[in-house]
Amino acid sequence: MLPIVVDVMGGDNAPKAIVDGALSSSAQGIAVELVGLASAIENIGSLKLHAASQVIGMADEPGRAVRTMKDSSIVRAAERVRDGQASAMVSAGNTGAVAAAALLRMKRIPGVSRPAIATALPVPGRAPKILLDSGAMADCQPDWLLQFAQMGSAFARIRYGIEKPKIGLLSIGEEAEKGNQITKAAHVLLRNDNSIDFIGNVEGRDILDGAVDVVVADGFTGNVALKTIEGTIKFLVDQIISILLADGVGEVGKEALGLLSPIASELNPEAVGGAMLLGVNGIAIISHGSAGPLAIENAIKVARDMVDRDLIGALSKAVTAS
Amino acid sequence: MLPIVVDVMGGDNAPKAIVDGALSSSAQGIAVELVGLASAIENIGSLKLHAASQVIGMADEPGRAVRTMKDSSIVRAAERVRDGQASAMVSAGNTGAVAAAALLRMKRIPGVSRPAIATALPVPGRAPKILLDSGAMADCQPDWLLQFAQMGSAFARIRYGIEKPKIGLLSIGEEAEKGNQITKAAHVLLRNDNSIDFIGNVEGRDILDGAVDVVVADGFTGNVALKTIEGTIKFLVDQIISILLADGVGEVGKEALGLLSPIASELNPEAVGGAMLLGVNGIAIISHGSAGPLAIENAIKVARDMVDRDLIGALSKAVTAS
C-alpha cells in the first residue's frame, strides 16, 4: 500500500504529538510519511518528511488560506493523495481548510454534488453514531442531503460493519411535514430512495439516544448539533467534577469520580480517530484539534482500513445506485 | 389584575397536575381561572372553569388543529386574553398549537414581523440562558432574527433583571463570515443595531457555558439545539445513574448520586416555569409537556410578573426603538 501522508503541523499539539502518533503507527507496520516545516520537526526516526514552507492556522479563513498558501502542509498533503504518492491523508488542522484543500486538489468522486464531513459520536456499548454533514457545507440543497444519506450509509457499513445502517434526517419533529423547507424536501427524497434504510426524521434528543445509526443534516445544523453535544457534555462533566471534588465531600467524591471516569474516556473524541471527509476522490481524515498521539495513531489506522476496504469505491457506488 | 387563564387539558399530566398547580397559585392569592372539558375535571375548589368541548393533542398538526378545533381549550384560552377577560394564558399543551392560537387570536404586537418562542435554559449559579426562537418559525428571514434579538433582550431585562443582556447569534464559528446565508445577513443587522449588546456569533458549545445571556437562532436551528441539549443531558444522566447504581458498586454509588441529584434538579426544565411566546399581543406561556403542579405554579407566577412589569409594552418599545 502507498504510505498514508500525515500533516504534522495541524492541531493544538502539533508537531510533537502528531509525529509521535505517526511513529507509533509506523512501528506497527503501517507505511506513513510526513509533511510539514522541516525546521519545526525533530526526532522523526526513519519516517520520510516532505517539506512544506507554510502552515494554515486554526483560525484562518479556509478558502482563502488554501488558495493563497499553496506550499502549506495541508495543501501539500492533499496533493500527494491526488498525485498517487500517498493512499490517504490525515490532518488535525483547520477543518475547513482540510476540506477545501481535499476538494480543490483531489476533486469530487464522479456523481457527488458536494462533500460532507462525517463525524463519529462515541456512544458506550454500541457503534458510534455518524453525523453528517457536520460542517463542510453550511447552505445545502435537498438533493445534497440525499447524497449525504447515501454516503453516510456506505460509510457506516464499511467503517463499522453495520449491514443496513438506519438513516435519520435531523429535524424538529418526527412527522414528515415538520421541519424547514430544506428538510421537508429532503424527507421526500430520502423516503423514496430504496438504497438506504430511512427511518424518518429524528430530533436532537435522538442523536445519542435513539436507534438511528446515521444522522443527516445540512452542514450548518449538523455543526450546531455537534458543538452543542460537545458543549453540553463538557458543561455537565465540569459541574459533576466540581460537586464531587468540593471541600468537605471527601473520599466518596473521589471514589465516585473514579467510577465515572471511564465514561468520560468513552465519550472522548480522541477515541474515535477523527472525522471523515466523504465525497472527495481520496481518503481524508480530519482529526480533532486537540488530537494527541493516540488520536493520530487511531486516525492513521482508520485511514489504512478505509483504503483497504475501498471506501471510495463504495461511496461512488452509493451515489449512483439510486 | 385580570385572572390568568390556565388550559387544564395540556401536557402529559393533565388535567390533575395542571389543576393542582392552579389551586396552589390561587391559594397564594393569584387570580386564576381554568378552561377545559368539564367532564374531565374535578376538585377545582372555588376556581372558575370555562368549558371547552375539544382538546388538541400533543401530536396534532398545530395550524390545522387551531383552524378546525375552535372550541378547544387552547383556542378558548387565547380568546379570553384577546377579549380582555384574562391577563395572560398558561398551557402545557402542544407547543405549536399554543403558538398558532396565540398568534391567530391575539395577533402580533404592532411592528413585530414574527413571534418567537423564548426558552429559558437553567444554568446553576446564574440566570437561565434564553434561547429564541426555539421553535415557532422554522424558516426565518434575517430581519426576523434582528427582532428576536431585540425581543430577547427586553425579555431578559424584564424577566431576569439583566440590565444589558449579552446577545449572541447561534452560528458555526465566531467570525462574522462563518455561518449560513441567514446568519451571515443577520450578523450584519445585529452588529449595526445600537439598542442591543451584540457580542457576535456564538457556537453550540457556548449556549450553556459562555458569557452570552440570550442566544438568537431561527426556529429550526434553535429547536435542534434545545432538543440536543435536553437529549445530551438525559443521555449522560442515564449513563451516570447506571454506573453508580450498578451491581457491586454499593454505598459509594448511592452517596454520590445523592450528591449529584441537586444538579439534576437545577437543570430540570420544571424549575424555570416554561417557555414564553414573544411578539404576540398578550402574555402566553408554554409549559413543558411533562409539567407537574410545581411547573404550572411557577408558570402562573411568571405570567403574573410579566403582566405586572408590562412585558408587552417593553417588547413593543424594543422592536420599534432602532
Side-chain angles (χ1 to χ4, degrees):
Chain A
M1 192 192 287
L2 288 167
I4 288 155
V5 60
V6 178
D7 162 27
V8 292
M9 308 310 295
D12 307 332
N13 307 311
K16 180 156 184 353
I18 316 298
V19 170
D20 289 350
L23 283 168
S24 302
S25 298
S26 175
Q28 290 161 47
I30 303 179
V32 176
E33 59 173 29
L34 312 178
V35 58
L37 293 188
S39 61
I41 299 164
E42 48 192 16
N43 300 328
I44 63 169
S46 62
L47 294 182
K48 188 165 173 52
L49 173 72
H50 299 281
S53 65
Q54 296 172 303
V55 176
I56 296 177
M58 297 302 266
D60 287 346
E61 200 282 305
R64 193 167 45 229
V66 168
R67 275 192 308 278
T68 57
M69 298 169 83
K70 292 188 197 306
D71 196 33
S72 59
S73 57
I74 288 175
V75 171
R76 290 301 183 205
E79 286 176 350
R80 291 193 65 76
V81 176
R82 175 196 66 188
D83 296 340
Q85 295 165 313
S87 59
M89 73 176 281
V90 170
S91 174
N94 182 317
T95 299
V98 176
L103 178 59
L104 291 169
R105 292 301 187 273
M106 303 178 193
K107 307 295 180 190
R108 287 168 271 179
I109 294 170
V112 169
S113 297
R114 291 294 185 283
I117 295 171
T119 297
L121 299 165
V123 177
R126 60 156 286 159
K129 306 273 192 156
I130 293 165
L131 173 65
L132 85 165
D133 174 22
S134 63
M137 308 302 306
D139 290 289
C140 285
Q141 296 178 10
D143 56 312
W144 303 354
L145 267 58
L146 172 60
Q147 286 199 335
F148 296 171
Q150 294 164 337
M151 293 195 294
S153 181
F155 177 56
R157 184 166 48 77
I158 299 280
R159 170 81 173 87
Y160 297 109
I162 305 171
E163 211 37 65
K164 268 195 86 179
K166 291 182 171 52
I167 312 290
L169 177 64
L170 186 56
S171 190
I172 58 174
E174 288 178 15
E175 305 83 358
E177 66 273 12
K178 289 249 177 108
N180 60 14
Q181 290 177 2
I182 305 288
T183 61
K184 282 189 266 191
H187 184 104
V188 176
L189 297 177
L190 269 72
R191 199 175 49 204
N192 291 334
D193 186 280
N194 293 322
S195 73
I196 56 170
D197 185 11
F198 179 51
I199 62 166
N201 290 349
V202 295
E203 299 188 80
R205 63 172 69 99
D206 304 315
I207 301 175
L208 294 177
D209 224 8
V212 68
D213 296 306
V214 177
V215 176
V216 173
D218 66 81
F220 181 87
T221 307
N223 192 270
V224 166
L226 173 64
K227 288 176 180 160
T228 301
I229 289 172
E230 290 180 349
T232 305
I233 290 175
K234 183 177 179 307
F235 171 81
L236 214 57
V237 167
D238 287 350
Q239 298 275 343
I240 288 167
I241 290 173
S242 79
I243 290 169
L244 293 179
L245 296 186
D247 288 347
V249 168
E251 277 311 306
V252 171
K254 289 189 193 74
E255 277 184 56
L257 218 47
L259 290 166
L260 294 173
S261 68
I263 180 99
S265 316
E266 286 192 75
L267 293 171
N268 184 344
E270 294 251 329
V272 289
M276 196 90 192
L277 184 65
L278 300 181
V280 295
N281 204 358
I283 306 283
I285 293 188
I286 309 170
S287 286
H288 210 274
S290 65
L294 180 63
I296 296 299
E297 195 188 313
N298 283 337
I300 292 169
K301 228 178 267 164
V302 171
R304 193 263 323 261
D305 291 348
M306 293 303 96
V307 175
D308 265 354
R309 300 178 202 159
D310 190 21
L311 174 64
I312 301 297
L315 294 174
S316 173
K317 237 185 255 172
V319 296
T320 51
S322 60
Chain B
M1 191 192 288
L2 289 166
I4 287 155
V5 60
V6 178
D7 161 28
V8 292
M9 308 311 294
D12 307 333
N13 306 310
K16 178 153 184 357
I18 315 297
V19 170
D20 289 350
L23 284 168
S24 302
S25 298
S26 175
Q28 290 163 46
I30 303 179
V32 176
E33 59 173 32
L34 312 178
V35 58
L37 292 189
S39 61
I41 299 163
E42 47 192 17
N43 300 327
I44 63 169
S46 62
L47 294 181
K48 187 163 172 53
L49 175 72
H50 299 281
S53 65
Q54 296 171 305
V55 177
I56 296 177
M58 296 302 266
D60 287 346
E61 201 280 306
R64 194 166 45 230
V66 168
R67 276 192 307 277
T68 57
M69 299 169 81
K70 292 188 198 303
D71 197 33
S72 58
S73 56
I74 288 175
V75 170
R76 290 301 184 206
E79 286 175 351
R80 292 192 64 76
V81 177
R82 175 196 66 189
D83 296 340
Q85 295 165 314
S87 58
M89 75 177 281
V90 170
S91 175
N94 182 318
T95 299
V98 176
L103 178 60
L104 291 169
R105 293 301 187 272
M106 303 177 194
K107 307 294 182 192
R108 285 168 274 178
I109 295 172
V112 168
S113 298
R114 291 293 185 286
I117 295 171
T119 297
L121 299 165
V123 176
R126 59 155 286 159
K129 305 272 192 159
I130 293 165
L131 174 64
L132 85 166
D133 175 22
S134 64
M137 307 303 304
D139 290 289
C140 284
Q141 297 177 10
D143 55 311
W144 303 353
L145 267 59
L146 172 61
Q147 285 198 336
F148 296 171
Q150 294 163 338
M151 293 196 294
S153 182
F155 177 57
R157 186 166 45 80
I158 299 279
R159 171 81 173 87
Y160 297 109
I162 305 172
E163 212 35 65
K164 267 194 84 177
K166 289 182 172 51
I167 312 291
L169 177 65
L170 186 56
S171 189
I172 59 174
E174 290 179 11
E175 304 82 358
E177 66 272 13
K178 289 249 177 107
N180 61 14
Q181 290 176 1
I182 305 289
T183 61
K184 283 188 266 190
H187 185 103
V188 176
L189 296 177
L190 270 72
R191 199 175 48 203
N192 291 333
D193 186 280
N194 293 322
S195 72
I196 56 171
D197 185 12
F198 180 51
I199 62 167
N201 289 348
V202 295
E203 299 188 80
R205 62 173 70 100
D206 303 314
I207 301 174
L208 295 177
D209 224 6
V212 69
D213 296 306
V214 177
V215 177
V216 173
D218 66 82
F220 181 86
T221 307
N223 193 270
V224 166
L226 173 64
K227 288 176 179 161
T228 301
I229 289 172
E230 290 180 350
T232 304
I233 290 174
K234 183 177 180 307
F235 172 80
L236 213 57
V237 167
D238 288 350
Q239 298 275 343
I240 288 167
I241 290 173
S242 79
I243 289 169
L244 293 179
L245 297 186
D247 289 347
V249 168
E251 277 312 307
V252 171
K254 289 190 194 73
E255 279 184 54
L257 219 48
L259 290 166
L260 294 174
S261 68
I263 180 98
S265 316
E266 286 192 74
L267 293 171
N268 183 345
E270 293 252 329
V272 289
M276 195 91 193
L277 185 64
L278 300 181
V280 296
N281 204 359
I283 304 283
I285 292 188
I286 309 169
S287 285
H288 210 272
S290 64
L294 179 62
I296 296 300
E297 196 188 313
N298 282 338
I300 292 169
K301 228 177 270 165
V302 171
R304 192 262 324 260
D305 290 348
M306 293 303 95
V307 174
D308 265 354
R309 300 178 203 162
D310 190 22
L311 174 65
I312 302 296
L315 294 174
S316 173
K317 237 184 257 172
V319 295
T320 50
S322 59

